[in-house]
């Protein structure tokens, strides 16, 4: 067996939950509480093995530490996975058992939605647990986080446009959006309002039908391969991770890459290929923090305020601008510049709080 301490040398705490009565098998990973309690969503997914689930939750929780740090939130990084097919395994009893498990962590970890979990599920979890965000608006929650995720991506794209062309407007630019699900369709709305020409692709026809009904001026292409070969100014990956492969970067004609998808770089080194081709890459975890900002606002003692959260998410423009400027100044990739900024904040605030980061 791999030594768990070797697998997660940076993580503060990893906790397993098992509830045979409901079929709940979950793992919570707390990467860091240097900035505050760990916040991150619950991914409900039919992992092939426990090892795959564990590796995913470790990676995802680490990413949340960096995302919260860069967004200037007083939150640490954590994430949870529930192992199983949500379509067959999810039940009120299971969600409530999961709520009792999260409650047992005493607030060191606060949960939210992720792939396979929705605001209505968080309402159920919250019946057993005080440390839940992403609940429905009817239950005092922040609702669907994709609204401010898309808004933040749009702000990041404006900053990247400024770095590429000297002006923040997307008017007259051709923007390709891969994936018009929850985030992608809101992003398209911002782009159309700003005067961009939008080209989209999505393998799921109902998502395209909804989008085209709202925005008949948007052009649809058959596949992501076709989209990246278009004469785009901006490419916005808004579907799955790993969108930026060597093959995609080789054919990409866009000057800017900025999208919502997590973990866009398919492997280390892709960021260098992007830079070599003169492409401005706005790091994913920098620009897609709007949803985290939205659900984090639920923790405010005065209750959730969409206006306050949106105001905060508009700061993604300055953060992206800072990251891109630092990358130029230090001659490093924007991804590395973002990591450095996040690590500096974790170190500085952690030290103030007496938590030392190596
Ligand atoms: N929802 C949020 O608040 C949020 C926050 C941060 C990051 N993200 C990330 O943004 C991405 C999109 O999230 P979402 O909530 O919109 O998910 P979603 O499932 O609602 O939408 C994703 C869309 O991508 C489409 N898709 C799948 N494969 C594709 C492909 N190869 N090419 C083009 N389209 C494809 C799907 O059909 C779907 O319509 C994910 O990577 C997610 O992790 C989301």
């Amino acid at each position: 067996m791999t030594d768990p301490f070797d697998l997660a040398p940076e993580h503060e705490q990893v906790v397993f939950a098992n509830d045979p009565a409901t079929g709940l098998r979950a793992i919570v990973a707390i990467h860091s509480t240097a900035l505050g309690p760990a916040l991150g969503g619950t991914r409900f997914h039919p992992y092939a093995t426990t090892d795959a689930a564990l590796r995913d939750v470790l990676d995802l929780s680490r990413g949340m530490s960096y995302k919260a740090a860069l967004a200037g939130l007083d939150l640490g990084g954590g994430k949870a996975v529930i192992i199983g097919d949500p379509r067959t395994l999810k039940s009120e009893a299971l969600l409530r058992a999961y709520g009792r498990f999260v409650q047992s962590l005493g607030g060191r970890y606060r949960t939210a939605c992720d792939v396979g979990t929705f605001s209505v599920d968080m309402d159920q979890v919250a019946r057993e647990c005080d440390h839940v965000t992403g609940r429905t608006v009817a239950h005092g929650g922040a609702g669907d986080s994709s609204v401010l995720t898309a808004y933040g991506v749009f702000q990041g794209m404006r900053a990247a446009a400024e770095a590429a062309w000297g002006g923040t407007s997307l008017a007259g630019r051709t923007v390709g959006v891969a994936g018009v699900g929850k985030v992608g369709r809101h992003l398209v709305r911002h782009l159309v309002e700003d005067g961009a020409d939008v080209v989209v692709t999505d393998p799921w026809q109902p998502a395209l039908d909804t989008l085209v009904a709202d925005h008949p001026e948007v052009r649809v292409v058959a596949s992501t391969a076709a989209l990246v070969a278009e004469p785009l100014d901006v490419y916005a990956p808004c579907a799955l991770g790993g969108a930026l492969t060597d093959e995609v970067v080789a054919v990409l004609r866009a000057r800017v890459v900025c999208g919502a998808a997590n973990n866009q770089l398919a492997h280390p080194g892709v960021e260098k290929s992007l830079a070599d081709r003169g492409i401005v890459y706005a790091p994913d975890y920098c620009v897609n923090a709007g949803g985290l900002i939205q659900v984090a606002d639920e923790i405010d003692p005065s209750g959730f305020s969409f206006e306050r959260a949106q105001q905060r998410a508009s700061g993604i423009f300055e953060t992206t601008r800072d990251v891109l400027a630092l990358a130029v100044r230090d001659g490093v990739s924007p991804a590395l510049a973002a990591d450095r900024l996040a690590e500096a904040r974790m170190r500085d605030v952690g030290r103030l709080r007496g938590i030392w980061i190596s």
Side-chain angles (χ1 to χ4, degrees):
M1 185 185 97
T2 312
D3 186 326
F5 289 102
D6 290 338
L7 206 55
E10 290 178 3
H11 283 70
E12 288 181 15
Q13 193 175 9
V14 181
V15 193
F16 289 70
N18 185 36
D19 184 48
T22 61
L24 174 73
R25 289 165 72 222
I27 313 172
V28 168
I30 298 174
H31 173 257
S32 167
T33 57
L35 299 181
L39 194 155
T42 301
R43 184 162 292 191
F44 202 143
H45 184 73
Y47 292 99
T49 62
T50 304
D51 189 60
L54 177 59
R55 287 174 193 274
D56 204 27
V57 77
L58 292 173
D59 278 355
L60 292 166
S61 56
R62 184 175 188 278
M64 292 308 295
S65 292
Y66 279 71
K67 192 182 292 197
L70 206 56
L73 296 167
D74 292 334
L75 290 169
K79 201 89 180 183
V81 293
I82 298 177
I83 301 167
D85 186 340
R87 286 171 301 186
T88 51
L89 189 63
K90 198 189 285 176
S91 65
E92 178 180 339
L94 179 143
L95 292 168
R96 291 181 71 150
Y98 176 64
R100 290 191 292 277
F101 166 50
V102 174
Q103 181 72 6
S104 75
L105 300 175
R108 280 177 53 73
Y109 167 69
R110 293 171 189 262
T111 197
C113 303
D114 195 72
V115 176
T117 54
F118 300 89
S119 292
V120 287
D121 299 330
M122 291 305 125
D123 289 348
Q124 299 286 8
V125 175
R127 295 178 77 174
E128 304 280 352
C129 178
D130 301 319
H131 313 294
V132 184
T133 66
R135 293 164 294 154
T136 60
V137 175
H139 284 77
D144 178 5
S145 63
S146 59
V147 177
L148 286 188
T149 300
Y151 178 72
V153 172
F154 178 62
Q155 297 307 324
M157 199 181 285
R158 292 175 62 242
E162 185 186 55
W165 299 296
T168 59
S169 172
L170 276 309
R173 303 283 174 205
T174 303
V175 183
V177 181
V180 286
K182 294 191 291 293
V183 180
R185 68 191 172 87
H186 289 299
L187 178 62
V188 168
R189 174 170 47 82
H190 291 299
L191 291 167
V192 168
E193 282 170 6
D194 202 33
D197 296 321
V198 181
V199 193
V200 304
T201 191
D202 195 304
W204 200 48
Q205 191 59 39
L208 289 172
D209 293 344
T210 308
L211 184 86
V212 172
D214 289 343
H215 303 288
E217 66 275 51
V218 163
R219 194 156 60 85
V220 176
V221 295
S223 65
T224 307
L227 184 72
V228 295
E230 286 271 322
L232 304 175
D233 295 307
V234 181
Y235 174 44
C238 293
L240 308 176
L244 300 173
T245 60
D246 294 326
E247 293 73 25
V248 166
V249 175
V251 297
L252 203 58
R253 290 151 78 181
R255 262 305 294 290
V256 167
V257 174
C258 176
N262 281 311
N263 304 327
Q264 288 169 27
L265 301 170
H267 61 81
V270 176
E271 68 274 28
K272 178 157 188 325
S273 314
L274 286 163
D276 288 348
R277 295 213 48 222
I279 297 171
V280 177
Y281 171 60
D284 43 30
Y285 78 83
C286 172
V287 300
N288 73 12
L292 175 62
I293 292 170
Q294 181 169 343
V295 299
D297 196 84
E298 247 177 271
I299 300 167
D300 193 279
S302 66
F304 174 65
S305 157
F306 182 82
E307 291 69 30
R308 183 177 54 217
Q310 186 172 34
Q311 177 61 34
R312 184 147 218 178
S314 63
I316 290 174
F317 174 82
E318 276 83 24
T319 309
T320 310
R321 184 191 247 172
D322 290 349
V323 164
L324 295 175
L326 186 69
V328 171
R329 193 198 73 184
D330 291 356
V332 298
S333 69
L336 185 55
D339 285 358
R340 285 182 179 172
L341 275 179
E343 283 163 4
R345 178 155 191 266
M346 281 189 261
R347 260 197 315 274
D348 292 350
V349 178
R351 221 171 263 154
L352 274 175
R353 300 181 68 223
I355 301 173
W356 293 84
I357 316 281
S358 57

